[in-house]
Amino acid sequence: MGSSVPASSQQPRWDRINSAVVIAQARQIYFHFLARCAGQNDPLGVVITEPRSGQGRVVFELPVLLPEEQFIPLELVRGRSGRSRSARSPYRG
């Protein structure tokens, strides 16, 4: 199934936002969802609807975004799970 929303519009505009703040907001929304709705299917990501207040929602399909909204994919919300500390180079200090 295809989406009528271009993939480029689904990527956060990193040049317009503070990525650390937005990802932290998305994590808070996602973990709140997990606490309330454990056992449901994994969402695709989080939409930050109010960047200043950190309000948003978990989404299960690609959203159509308003200009001030940001979609944060679940991979960014969960963090770098594919890389562990033991995978670091032994040559780094």
Side-chain angles (χ1 to χ4, degrees), residues 3-44:
S3 173
S4 61
V5 180
S8 61
S9 69
Q10 296 302 319
Q11 294 297 318
R13 290 294 312 261
W14 300 120
D15 60 331
R16 294 185 183 180
I17 61 174
N18 181 335
S19 61
V21 170
V22 170
I23 292 173
Q25 290 172 340
R27 284 184 178 146
Q28 186 175 33
I29 293 164
Y30 176 64
F31 292 137
H32 187 282
F33 162 78
L34 287 178
R36 291 183 301 134
C37 305
Q40 283 193 349
N41 293 336
D42 283 343
L44 287 179

Side-chain angles (χ1 to χ4, degrees), residues 67-88:
E68 65 276 359
E69 294 180 330
Q70 294 291 329
F71 172 72
I72 309 300
L74 192 59
E75 296 80 33
L76 291 176
V77 173
R78 286 184 173 166
R80 298 180 188 178
S81 61
R83 185 176 178 190
S84 66
R85 288 188 178 265
S86 61
R88 297 180 91 187

